[in-house]
Amino acid sequence: MASTLAAAFTILVSLTLAVHSARGAPRLSCEELPPDVCAFAMSSGGMRCVLERTPEGAHRCQTSAVVAGAARGLMPAAAGGWVETDACVRACGVDRAALGLPVASAAADDRRSLRALCSPACRDGCPNVVDLYATVAAAEGMSLPALCEAQKNAGNRRMMMGGGMAPIGAPMMAPAAAPVVPPAVASAPCEEPPVVAPPPCDEW
């Protein structure tokens, strides 16, 4: 039920933004968004929205200091702001209930999260989420494309090792030779010492 309401609200917000954009009126402010659609949203000024917790424990949407890629010309501009779709939230494996900006290093350490972020569905169809993670990764001294490439190569190595194949570029090892067993040598028969006759007794 909650997910259905969130999806309906997302569609409503998108339609409202389109109408405001056509009229040239002031558009989206992060503080106007309800908490369940705040994360991964972008204000009309090109700033990222973040979900925060008040001292009373309630959630509220706030404007961050992070500029979205649309405002920097790195992704298609979203006129009037942007509220991320449920389809991209699922494709990229992200969580709308996450507080603050995402931590790229945490996603890099989580194999499942990184696989979702680097998937074709997320990479090619969700530029807003990809731009956000690329931005926070750069702030942490990392590169999201490099992380995705490393994840892809690691997956290929696991597939090859699981199928009994050596990874590409790995040295080929010759099969171990069978141990050489020396032929058995028959032991020489034991020789009995010669029987020596006692000397003849001298006659007195």
Side-chain angles (χ1 to χ4, degrees):
M1 181 66 179
S3 61
T4 303
L5 291 176
F9 185 84
T10 301
I11 297 173
L12 179 61
V13 169
S14 300
L15 293 174
T16 304
L17 292 177
V19 172
H20 283 320
S21 177
R23 294 178 178 176
R27 292 163 294 195
L28 177 66
S29 171
C30 295
E31 285 71 16
E32 297 174 353
L33 289 176
D36 53 353
V37 294
C38 175
F40 314 107
M42 178 179 63
S43 73
S44 59
M47 308 304 292
R48 290 288 179 188
C49 301
V50 292
L51 187 63
E52 295 182 352
R53 180 180 286 120
T54 66
E56 294 77 19
H59 289 170
R60 66 183 177 187
C61 193
Q62 296 290 304
T63 302
S64 74
V66 178
V67 181
R72 303 194 309 272
L74 302 180
M75 56 179 282
W82 180 259
V83 174
E84 192 53 80
T85 63
D86 289 336
C88 277
V89 169
R90 290 190 297 269
C92 299
V94 294
D95 183 10
R96 285 195 193 271
L99 298 176
L101 293 170
V103 180
S105 56
D109 292 337
D110 187 341
R111 185 183 301 173
R112 180 176 299 178
S113 297
L114 187 59
R115 188 186 305 120
L117 279 173
C118 299
S119 67
C122 180
R123 185 187 64 239
D124 301 333
C126 306
N128 176 52
V129 175
V130 173
D131 171 74
L132 173 58
Y133 273 87
T135 301
V136 296
E140 297 177 33
M142 298 182 296
S143 167
L144 182 60
L147 290 173
C148 288
E149 185 65 23
Q151 190 270 341
K152 177 181 177 182
N153 293 337
N156 290 339
R157 283 195 296 270
R158 285 193 296 271
M159 288 178 60
M160 291 179 179
M161 295 302 293
M165 297 174 59
I168 297 175
M172 299 297 293
M173 298 182 63
V180 178
V181 180
V185 179
S187 57
C190 297
E191 297 181 359
E192 297 182 358
V195 178
V196 179
C201 298
D202 294 335
E203 294 181 0
W204 296 93

